[in-house]
Amino acid sequence: QVQLVESGGGLVQPGGSLKLSCAASGRSFSINAMGWFRQAPGKERELVATVTTTTIRYADFVKGRFTISTDSAKKTVSLQMNSLKPEDTAVYYCNLQSSGINYWGKGTLVTVSS
């Protein structure tokens, strides 16, 4: 079993920045991918950014504004979010893929508003 704990959400003004972090814990698991998804009110959950051992993938709507990074030794993934827009308001979920199973954090709310 894998547990994911997110931190770093909050309220920020348009144009501002936030950094989300996620730490994974559990008994001896491998990591195939880690990343972030988000879900805005009334919308489906969507990919924000993911990292595997060979690739980094960003959604088109965050390219050039968000940066994902991982620390494989610490089993953490972070998302630096710059130039935030009101449409970035959503609950952001940490995701980890291990041995064909998707694990999810409980989510952290990001609100972009003046």
Side-chain angles (χ1 to χ4, degrees):
Q1 191 71 12
V2 176
Q3 293 81 41
L4 301 173
V5 178
E6 303 112 331
S7 61
L11 173 64
V12 63
Q13 292 186 343
S17 298
L18 278 177
K19 185 175 183 178
L20 306 182
S21 297
C22 173
S25 63
R27 295 180 61 183
S28 76
F29 59 95
S30 61
I31 298 175
N32 302 123
M34 289 190 78
W36 294 90
F37 288 68
R38 72 185 188 185
Q39 187 166 17
K43 295 187 177 181
E44 294 185 351
R45 191 172 297 188
E46 60 184 355
L47 169 73
V48 176
T50 61
V51 180
T52 70
T53 54
T54 58
T55 60
I56 298 177
R57 179 184 174 193
Y58 290 99
D60 287 343
F61 54 77
V62 303
K63 285 181 180 178
R65 300 189 297 126
F66 293 9
T67 303
I68 190 170
S69 60
T70 61
D71 184 326
S72 57
K74 295 181 179 179
K75 297 183 178 178
T76 61
V77 61
S78 297
L79 186 70
Q80 177 66 47
M81 305 185 294
N82 299 326
S83 302
L84 283 161
K85 305 175 181 179
E87 52 263 43
D88 294 318
T89 295
V91 177
Y92 284 71
Y93 295 92
C94 179
N95 170 264
L96 184 150
Q97 297 173 28
S98 175
S99 302
I101 299 173
N102 269 305
Y103 297 92
W104 297 95
K106 293 182 178 180
T108 184
L109 177 63
V110 172
T111 303
V112 185
S113 175
S114 56

